[in-house]
Amino acid sequence: MSEHMVEFVFPGGPVYQLKAKDISETGVGVIVRPDSKFLNLIQIGQEMNVKLLSPKGSRHMQGTYRARIAHITALEEGKFKNHKLVALELMAKTSS
């Protein structure tokens, strides 16, 4: 793996691994295609467990966290123009 990713697992549904952006100790953003079915499975304020995946040798955080969706924003410029940024508030680490 060459990029930081966030893994989402939905009960009885698919597993999504999405590119991480703007990683901090309290939050992380993920980039989502505007036509992704993932957007139909989430809503602002929703809480879930997510797994942060980092490339080998990275100093960034990894492990499973309890997270809340803080906002979903359309990106209007840059490399990911027309994609969505889903911002997650990391509330607590649940495992390594």
Side-chain angles (χ1 to χ4, degrees), residues 24-57:
S24 75
E25 289 186 20
T26 59
V28 62
V30 293
I31 305 297
V32 184
R33 288 189 340 259
D35 61 346
S36 174
K37 292 180 181 178
F38 174 78
L39 294 170
N40 296 326
L41 299 172
I42 62 169
Q43 60 186 1
I44 295 170
Q46 181 177 354
E47 293 185 11
M48 62 185 66
N49 290 326
V50 299
K51 187 172 187 179
L52 302 184
L53 308 170
S54 298
K56 188 174 183 178

PDB file of all heavy atoms in Angstrom, residues 24-57:
ATOM      1  N   SER A  24      -5.056  13.953  11.103  1.00  0.00           N
ATOM      2  CA  SER A  24      -4.584  14.574  12.350  1.00  0.00           C
ATOM      3  C   SER A  24      -4.951  13.647  13.500  1.00  0.00           C
ATOM      4  O   SER A  24      -5.589  12.621  13.300  1.00  0.00           O
ATOM      5  CB  SER A  24      -5.223  15.949  12.547  1.00  0.00           C
ATOM      6  OG  SER A  24      -6.569  15.809  12.957  1.00  0.00           O
ATOM      7  N   GLU A  25      -4.587  14.026  14.715  1.00  0.00           N
ATOM      8  CA  GLU A  25      -4.908  13.192  15.873  1.00  0.00           C
ATOM      9  C   GLU A  25      -6.395  13.172  16.180  1.00  0.00           C
ATOM     10  O   GLU A  25      -6.873  12.279  16.863  1.00  0.00           O
ATOM     11  CB  GLU A  25      -4.122  13.665  17.088  1.00  0.00           C
ATOM     12  CG  GLU A  25      -2.644  13.364  16.979  1.00  0.00           C
ATOM     13  CD  GLU A  25      -1.893  13.706  18.251  1.00  0.00           C
ATOM     14  OE1 GLU A  25      -2.526  13.804  19.314  1.00  0.00           O
ATOM     15  OE2 GLU A  25      -0.674  13.875  18.166  1.00  0.00           O
ATOM     16  N   THR A  26      -7.134  14.159  15.684  1.00  0.00           N
ATOM     17  CA  THR A  26      -8.562  14.236  16.012  1.00  0.00           C
ATOM     18  C   THR A  26      -9.477  13.971  14.823  1.00  0.00           C
ATOM     19  O   THR A  26     -10.690  13.918  14.980  1.00  0.00           O
ATOM     20  CB  THR A  26      -8.912  15.611  16.592  1.00  0.00           C
ATOM     21  OG1 THR A  26      -8.570  16.618  15.628  1.00  0.00           O
ATOM     22  CG2 THR A  26      -8.164  15.863  17.885  1.00  0.00           C
ATOM     23  N   GLY A  27      -8.905  13.812  13.640  1.00  0.00           N
ATOM     24  CA  GLY A  27      -9.769  13.599  12.490  1.00  0.00           C
ATOM     25  C   GLY A  27      -9.019  13.198  11.237  1.00  0.00           C
ATOM     26  O   GLY A  27      -7.796  13.245  11.176  1.00  0.00           O
ATOM     27  N   VAL A  28      -9.799  12.794  10.251  1.00  0.00           N
ATOM     28  CA  VAL A  28      -9.263  12.402   8.957  1.00  0.00           C
ATOM     29  C   VAL A  28     -10.352  12.625   7.913  1.00  0.00           C
ATOM     30  O   VAL A  28     -11.539  12.496   8.212  1.00  0.00           O
ATOM     31  CB  VAL A  28      -8.784  10.926   8.970  1.00  0.00           C
ATOM     32  CG1 VAL A  28      -9.927   9.974   9.238  1.00  0.00           C
ATOM     33  CG2 VAL A  28      -8.072  10.555   7.677  1.00  0.00           C
ATOM     34  N   GLY A  29      -9.946  12.991   6.723  1.00  0.00           N
ATOM     35  CA  GLY A  29     -10.889  13.120   5.621  1.00  0.00           C
ATOM     36  C   GLY A  29     -10.672  11.997   4.631  1.00  0.00           C
ATOM     37  O   GLY A  29      -9.558  11.486   4.505  1.00  0.00           O
ATOM     38  N   VAL A  30     -11.713  11.586   3.939  1.00  0.00           N
ATOM     39  CA  VAL A  30     -11.585  10.590   2.878  1.00  0.00           C
ATOM     40  C   VAL A  30     -12.194  11.161   1.598  1.00  0.00           C
ATOM     41  O   VAL A  30     -13.156  11.925   1.637  1.00  0.00           O
ATOM     42  CB  VAL A  30     -12.239   9.231   3.227  1.00  0.00           C
ATOM     43  CG1 VAL A  30     -11.500   8.555   4.366  1.00  0.00           C
ATOM     44  CG2 VAL A  30     -13.698   9.367   3.571  1.00  0.00           C
ATOM     45  N   ILE A  31     -11.613  10.773   0.479  1.00  0.00           N
ATOM     46  CA  ILE A  31     -12.051  11.224  -0.834  1.00  0.00           C
ATOM     47  C   ILE A  31     -12.986  10.174  -1.415  1.00  0.00           C
ATOM     48  O   ILE A  31     -12.654   8.987  -1.445  1.00  0.00           O
ATOM     49  CB  ILE A  31     -10.839  11.414  -1.773  1.00  0.00           C
ATOM     50  CG1 ILE A  31      -9.800  12.355  -1.147  1.00  0.00           C
ATOM     51  CG2 ILE A  31     -11.283  11.877  -3.142  1.00  0.00           C
ATOM     52  CD1 ILE A  31     -10.282  13.747  -0.910  1.00  0.00           C
ATOM     53  N   VAL A  32     -14.151  10.622  -1.892  1.00  0.00           N
ATOM     54  CA  VAL A  32     -15.171   9.699  -2.400  1.00  0.00           C
ATOM     55  C   VAL A  32     -15.650  10.173  -3.772  1.00  0.00           C
ATOM     56  O   VAL A  32     -15.937  11.361  -3.949  1.00  0.00           O
ATOM     57  CB  VAL A  32     -16.382   9.627  -1.438  1.00  0.00           C
ATOM     58  CG1 VAL A  32     -17.400   8.604  -1.911  1.00  0.00           C
ATOM     59  CG2 VAL A  32     -15.931   9.313  -0.020  1.00  0.00           C
ATOM     60  N   ARG A  33     -15.727   9.262  -4.726  1.00  0.00           N
ATOM     61  CA  ARG A  33     -16.297   9.599  -6.037  1.00  0.00           C
ATOM     62  C   ARG A  33     -17.753  10.012  -5.855  1.00  0.00           C
ATOM     63  O   ARG A  33     -18.477   9.420  -5.039  1.00  0.00           O
ATOM     64  CB  ARG A  33     -16.230   8.401  -6.990  1.00  0.00           C
ATOM     65  CG  ARG A  33     -14.847   8.068  -7.485  1.00  0.00           C
ATOM     66  CD  ARG A  33     -14.842   7.009  -8.595  1.00  0.00           C
ATOM     67  NE  ARG A  33     -16.032   6.191  -8.671  1.00  0.00           N
ATOM     68  CZ  ARG A  33     -16.141   4.957  -8.193  1.00  0.00           C
ATOM     69  NH1 ARG A  33     -15.133   4.378  -7.597  1.00  0.00           N
ATOM     70  NH2 ARG A  33     -17.270   4.290  -8.323  1.00  0.00           N
ATOM     71  N   PRO A  34     -18.223  10.977  -6.617  1.00  0.00           N
ATOM     72  CA  PRO A  34     -19.594  11.466  -6.428  1.00  0.00           C
ATOM     73  C   PRO A  34     -20.674  10.431  -6.744  1.00  0.00           C
ATOM     74  O   PRO A  34     -21.789  10.537  -6.245  1.00  0.00           O
ATOM     75  CB  PRO A  34     -19.686  12.666  -7.375  1.00  0.00           C
ATOM     76  CG  PRO A  34     -18.612  12.456  -8.373  1.00  0.00           C
ATOM     77  CD  PRO A  34     -17.517  11.690  -7.676  1.00  0.00           C
ATOM     78  N   ASP A  35     -20.340   9.402  -7.515  1.00  0.00           N
ATOM     79  CA  ASP A  35     -21.319   8.376  -7.870  1.00  0.00           C
ATOM     80  C   ASP A  35     -21.191   7.114  -7.007  1.00  0.00           C
ATOM     81  O   ASP A  35     -21.846   6.106  -7.257  1.00  0.00           O
ATOM     82  CB  ASP A  35     -21.198   8.013  -9.354  1.00  0.00           C
ATOM     83  CG  ASP A  35     -19.829   7.443  -9.712  1.00  0.00           C
ATOM     84  OD1 ASP A  35     -18.878   7.563  -8.905  1.00  0.00           O
ATOM     85  OD2 ASP A  35     -19.690   6.895 -10.820  1.00  0.00           O
ATOM     86  N   SER A  36     -20.371   7.171  -5.968  1.00  0.00           N
ATOM     87  CA  SER A  36     -20.137   6.002  -5.118  1.00  0.00           C
ATOM     88  C   SER A  36     -21.368   5.670  -4.274  1.00  0.00           C
ATOM     89  O   SER A  36     -21.988   6.555  -3.667  1.00  0.00           O
ATOM     90  CB  SER A  36     -18.950   6.259  -4.191  1.00  0.00           C
ATOM     91  OG  SER A  36     -18.797   5.189  -3.280  1.00  0.00           O
ATOM     92  N   LYS A  37     -21.689   4.392  -4.188  1.00  0.00           N
ATOM     93  CA  LYS A  37     -22.793   3.936  -3.343  1.00  0.00           C
ATOM     94  C   LYS A  37     -22.492   4.160  -1.864  1.00  0.00           C
ATOM     95  O   LYS A  37     -23.395   4.195  -1.036  1.00  0.00           O
ATOM     96  CB  LYS A  37     -23.079   2.454  -3.606  1.00  0.00           C
ATOM     97  CG  LYS A  37     -23.646   2.213  -4.985  1.00  0.00           C
ATOM     98  CD  LYS A  37     -23.917   0.742  -5.223  1.00  0.00           C
ATOM     99  CE  LYS A  37     -24.460   0.541  -6.635  1.00  0.00           C
ATOM    100  NZ  LYS A  37     -24.702  -0.865  -6.930  1.00  0.00           N
ATOM    101  N   PHE A  38     -21.207   4.348  -1.555  1.00  0.00           N
ATOM    102  CA  PHE A  38     -20.792   4.630  -0.183  1.00  0.00           C
ATOM    103  C   PHE A  38     -21.552   5.831   0.382  1.00  0.00           C
ATOM    104  O   PHE A  38     -21.957   5.828   1.545  1.00  0.00           O
ATOM    105  CB  PHE A  38     -19.277   4.901  -0.165  1.00  0.00           C
ATOM    106  CG  PHE A  38     -18.747   5.354   1.167  1.00  0.00           C
ATOM    107  CD1 PHE A  38     -18.530   4.448   2.189  1.00  0.00           C
ATOM    108  CD2 PHE A  38     -18.459   6.686   1.397  1.00  0.00           C
ATOM    109  CE1 PHE A  38     -18.042   4.863   3.416  1.00  0.00           C
ATOM    110  CE2 PHE A  38     -17.964   7.117   2.617  1.00  0.00           C
ATOM    111  CZ  PHE A  38     -17.755   6.196   3.622  1.00  0.00           C
ATOM    112  N   LEU A  39     -21.767   6.843  -0.434  1.00  0.00           N
ATOM    113  CA  LEU A  39     -22.455   8.056   0.027  1.00  0.00           C
ATOM    114  C   LEU A  39     -23.893   7.789   0.457  1.00  0.00           C
ATOM    115  O   LEU A  39     -24.442   8.529   1.275  1.00  0.00           O
ATOM    116  CB  LEU A  39     -22.410   9.138  -1.051  1.00  0.00           C
ATOM    117  CG  LEU A  39     -21.014   9.685  -1.352  1.00  0.00           C
ATOM    118  CD1 LEU A  39     -21.037  10.562  -2.584  1.00  0.00           C
ATOM    119  CD2 LEU A  39     -20.441  10.421  -0.150  1.00  0.00           C
ATOM    120  N   ASN A  40     -24.508   6.720  -0.062  1.00  0.00           N
ATOM    121  CA  ASN A  40     -25.871   6.351   0.332  1.00  0.00           C
ATOM    122  C   ASN A  40     -25.910   5.628   1.686  1.00  0.00           C
ATOM    123  O   ASN A  40     -26.978   5.467   2.263  1.00  0.00           O
ATOM    124  CB  ASN A  40     -26.523   5.475  -0.729  1.00  0.00           C
ATOM    125  CG  ASN A  40     -26.693   6.197  -2.043  1.00  0.00           C
ATOM    126  OD1 ASN A  40     -26.927   7.398  -2.087  1.00  0.00           O
ATOM    127  ND2 ASN A  40     -26.553   5.465  -3.135  1.00  0.00           N
ATOM    128  N   LEU A  41     -24.738   5.181   2.155  1.00  0.00           N
ATOM    129  CA  LEU A  41     -24.664   4.407   3.401  1.00  0.00           C
ATOM    130  C   LEU A  41     -24.316   5.262   4.612  1.00  0.00           C
ATOM    131  O   LEU A  41     -24.316   4.771   5.736  1.00  0.00           O
ATOM    132  CB  LEU A  41     -23.621   3.293   3.248  1.00  0.00           C
ATOM    133  CG  LEU A  41     -23.893   2.261   2.154  1.00  0.00           C
ATOM    134  CD1 LEU A  41     -22.696   1.339   1.994  1.00  0.00           C
ATOM    135  CD2 LEU A  41     -25.152   1.469   2.469  1.00  0.00           C
ATOM    136  N   ILE A  42     -23.988   6.536   4.372  1.00  0.00           N
ATOM    137  CA  ILE A  42     -23.538   7.391   5.474  1.00  0.00           C
ATOM    138  C   ILE A  42     -24.383   8.657   5.572  1.00  0.00           C
ATOM    139  O   ILE A  42     -25.069   9.034   4.612  1.00  0.00           O
ATOM    140  CB  ILE A  42     -22.056   7.781   5.303  1.00  0.00           C
ATOM    141  CG1 ILE A  42     -21.850   8.595   4.013  1.00  0.00           C
ATOM    142  CG2 ILE A  42     -21.164   6.549   5.348  1.00  0.00           C
ATOM    143  CD1 ILE A  42     -20.496   9.245   3.901  1.00  0.00           C
ATOM    144  N   GLN A  43     -24.310   9.297   6.744  1.00  0.00           N
ATOM    145  CA  GLN A  43     -24.959  10.592   6.934  1.00  0.00           C
ATOM    146  C   GLN A  43     -24.197  11.362   8.007  1.00  0.00           C
ATOM    147  O   GLN A  43     -23.525  10.768   8.855  1.00  0.00           O
ATOM    148  CB  GLN A  43     -26.420  10.436   7.317  1.00  0.00           C
ATOM    149  CG  GLN A  43     -26.663   9.673   8.589  1.00  0.00           C
ATOM    150  CD  GLN A  43     -28.139   9.429   8.818  1.00  0.00           C
ATOM    151  OE1 GLN A  43     -28.981   9.808   8.031  1.00  0.00           O
ATOM    152  NE2 GLN A  43     -28.456   8.782   9.928  1.00  0.00           N
ATOM    153  N   ILE A  44     -24.297  12.665   7.959  1.00  0.00           N
ATOM    154  CA  ILE A  44     -23.627  13.517   8.936  1.00  0.00           C
ATOM    155  C   ILE A  44     -24.136  13.170  10.336  1.00  0.00           C
ATOM    156  O   ILE A  44     -25.328  12.982  10.547  1.00  0.00           O
ATOM    157  CB  ILE A  44     -23.867  15.006   8.601  1.00  0.00           C
ATOM    158  CG1 ILE A  44     -23.205  15.330   7.260  1.00  0.00           C
ATOM    159  CG2 ILE A  44     -23.351  15.914   9.706  1.00  0.00           C
ATOM    160  CD1 ILE A  44     -23.559  16.676   6.698  1.00  0.00           C
ATOM    161  N   GLY A  45     -23.213  13.049  11.290  1.00  0.00           N
ATOM    162  CA  GLY A  45     -23.547  12.691  12.666  1.00  0.00           C
ATOM    163  C   GLY A  45     -23.489  11.202  12.940  1.00  0.00           C
ATOM    164  O   GLY A  45     -23.496  10.783  14.095  1.00  0.00           O
ATOM    165  N   GLN A  46     -23.434  10.394  11.897  1.00  0.00           N
ATOM    166  CA  GLN A  46     -23.395   8.932  12.058  1.00  0.00           C
ATOM    167  C   GLN A  46     -22.085   8.518  12.730  1.00  0.00           C
ATOM    168  O   GLN A  46     -21.018   9.035  12.408  1.00  0.00           O
ATOM    169  CB  GLN A  46     -23.512   8.279  10.680  1.00  0.00           C
ATOM    170  CG  GLN A  46     -23.518   6.770  10.686  1.00  0.00           C
ATOM    171  CD  GLN A  46     -23.714   6.213   9.275  1.00  0.00           C
ATOM    172  OE1 GLN A  46     -23.950   6.937   8.321  1.00  0.00           O
ATOM    173  NE2 GLN A  46     -23.607   4.915   9.151  1.00  0.00           N
ATOM    174  N   GLU A  47     -22.168   7.578  13.660  1.00  0.00           N
ATOM    175  CA  GLU A  47     -20.991   7.042  14.332  1.00  0.00           C
ATOM    176  C   GLU A  47     -20.732   5.624  13.850  1.00  0.00           C
ATOM    177  O   GLU A  47     -21.675   4.869  13.584  1.00  0.00           O
ATOM    178  CB  GLU A  47     -21.169   7.057  15.846  1.00  0.00           C
ATOM    179  CG  GLU A  47     -21.234   8.450  16.409  1.00  0.00           C
ATOM    180  CD  GLU A  47     -21.298   8.475  17.926  1.00  0.00           C
ATOM    181  OE1 GLU A  47     -21.090   7.420  18.575  1.00  0.00           O
ATOM    182  OE2 GLU A  47     -21.550   9.563  18.471  1.00  0.00           O
ATOM    183  N   MET A  48     -19.443   5.298  13.723  1.00  0.00           N
ATOM    184  CA  MET A  48     -19.055   3.966  13.243  1.00  0.00           C
ATOM    185  C   MET A  48     -17.613   3.696  13.622  1.00  0.00           C
ATOM    186  O   MET A  48     -16.883   4.606  14.000  1.00  0.00           O
ATOM    187  CB  MET A  48     -19.220   3.882  11.724  1.00  0.00           C
ATOM    188  CG  MET A  48     -18.320   4.860  10.986  1.00  0.00           C
ATOM    189  SD  MET A  48     -18.567   4.899   9.209  1.00  0.00           S
ATOM    190  CE  MET A  48     -20.197   5.540   9.116  1.00  0.00           C
ATOM    191  N   ASN A  49     -17.226   2.439  13.504  1.00  0.00           N
ATOM    192  CA  ASN A  49     -15.825   2.070  13.672  1.00  0.00           C
ATOM    193  C   ASN A  49     -15.158   2.120  12.304  1.00  0.00           C
ATOM    194  O   ASN A  49     -15.725   1.655  11.313  1.00  0.00           O
ATOM    195  CB  ASN A  49     -15.684   0.669  14.265  1.00  0.00           C
ATOM    196  CG  ASN A  49     -16.128   0.627  15.713  1.00  0.00           C
ATOM    197  OD1 ASN A  49     -15.963   1.591  16.462  1.00  0.00           O
ATOM    198  ND2 ASN A  49     -16.704  -0.480  16.121  1.00  0.00           N
ATOM    199  N   VAL A  50     -13.964   2.706  12.261  1.00  0.00           N
ATOM    200  CA  VAL A  50     -13.177   2.755  11.027  1.00  0.00           C
ATOM    201  C   VAL A  50     -11.766   2.287  11.341  1.00  0.00           C
ATOM    202  O   VAL A  50     -11.304   2.388  12.483  1.00  0.00           O
ATOM    203  CB  VAL A  50     -13.135   4.177  10.414  1.00  0.00           C
ATOM    204  CG1 VAL A  50     -14.531   4.647  10.049  1.00  0.00           C
ATOM    205  CG2 VAL A  50     -12.455   5.176  11.335  1.00  0.00           C
ATOM    206  N   LYS A  51     -11.110   1.776  10.328  1.00  0.00           N
ATOM    207  CA  LYS A  51      -9.734   1.313  10.501  1.00  0.00           C
ATOM    208  C   LYS A  51      -8.825   2.194   9.651  1.00  0.00           C
ATOM    209  O   LYS A  51      -9.049   2.342   8.450  1.00  0.00           O
ATOM    210  CB  LYS A  51      -9.609  -0.152  10.075  1.00  0.00           C
ATOM    211  CG  LYS A  51      -8.269  -0.764  10.381  1.00  0.00           C
ATOM    212  CD  LYS A  51      -8.296  -2.253  10.107  1.00  0.00           C
ATOM    213  CE  LYS A  51      -7.009  -2.902  10.561  1.00  0.00           C
ATOM    214  NZ  LYS A  51      -7.037  -4.353  10.307  1.00  0.00           N
ATOM    215  N   LEU A  52      -7.822   2.807  10.298  1.00  0.00           N
ATOM    216  CA  LEU A  52      -6.834   3.607   9.586  1.00  0.00           C
ATOM    217  C   LEU A  52      -5.700   2.688   9.147  1.00  0.00           C
ATOM    218  O   LEU A  52      -5.115   1.980   9.971  1.00  0.00           O
ATOM    219  CB  LEU A  52      -6.286   4.717  10.473  1.00  0.00           C
ATOM    220  CG  LEU A  52      -7.298   5.702  11.048  1.00  0.00           C
ATOM    221  CD1 LEU A  52      -6.583   6.796  11.822  1.00  0.00           C
ATOM    222  CD2 LEU A  52      -8.150   6.314   9.961  1.00  0.00           C
ATOM    223  N   LEU A  53      -5.407   2.699   7.858  1.00  0.00           N
ATOM    224  CA  LEU A  53      -4.360   1.864   7.271  1.00  0.00           C
ATOM    225  C   LEU A  53      -3.256   2.773   6.756  1.00  0.00           C
ATOM    226  O   LEU A  53      -3.522   3.730   6.027  1.00  0.00           O
ATOM    227  CB  LEU A  53      -4.933   1.028   6.125  1.00  0.00           C
ATOM    228  CG  LEU A  53      -6.186   0.208   6.443  1.00  0.00           C
ATOM    229  CD1 LEU A  53      -6.782  -0.378   5.175  1.00  0.00           C
ATOM    230  CD2 LEU A  53      -5.847  -0.892   7.431  1.00  0.00           C
ATOM    231  N   SER A  54      -2.013   2.486   7.132  1.00  0.00           N
ATOM    232  CA  SER A  54      -0.886   3.322   6.729  1.00  0.00           C
ATOM    233  C   SER A  54       0.140   2.497   5.973  1.00  0.00           C
ATOM    234  O   SER A  54       0.306   1.304   6.252  1.00  0.00           O
ATOM    235  CB  SER A  54      -0.206   3.931   7.956  1.00  0.00           C
ATOM    236  OG  SER A  54      -1.097   4.768   8.643  1.00  0.00           O
ATOM    237  N   PRO A  55       0.863   3.133   5.037  1.00  0.00           N
ATOM    238  CA  PRO A  55       1.932   2.422   4.350  1.00  0.00           C
ATOM    239  C   PRO A  55       3.000   1.970   5.340  1.00  0.00           C
ATOM    240  O   PRO A  55       3.195   2.606   6.389  1.00  0.00           O
ATOM    241  CB  PRO A  55       2.515   3.470   3.385  1.00  0.00           C
ATOM    242  CG  PRO A  55       1.470   4.517   3.267  1.00  0.00           C
ATOM    243  CD  PRO A  55       0.716   4.501   4.566  1.00  0.00           C
ATOM    244  N   LYS A  56       3.700   0.907   5.002  1.00  0.00           N
ATOM    245  CA  LYS A  56       4.766   0.391   5.860  1.00  0.00           C
ATOM    246  C   LYS A  56       5.784   1.493   6.128  1.00  0.00           C
ATOM    247  O   LYS A  56       6.196   2.206   5.222  1.00  0.00           O
ATOM    248  CB  LYS A  56       5.438  -0.814   5.196  1.00  0.00           C
ATOM    249  CG  LYS A  56       6.410  -1.521   6.069  1.00  0.00           C
ATOM    250  CD  LYS A  56       6.924  -2.767   5.420  1.00  0.00           C
ATOM    251  CE  LYS A  56       7.850  -3.496   6.373  1.00  0.00           C
ATOM    252  NZ  LYS A  56       8.331  -4.744   5.805  1.00  0.00           N
ATOM    253  N   GLY A  57       6.147   1.652   7.375  1.00  0.00           N
ATOM    254  CA  GLY A  57       7.141   2.645   7.753  1.00  0.00           C
ATOM    255  C   GLY A  57       6.577   4.029   8.032  1.00  0.00           C
ATOM    256  O   GLY A  57       7.313   4.927   8.416  1.00  0.00           O
TER     257      GLY A  57
END
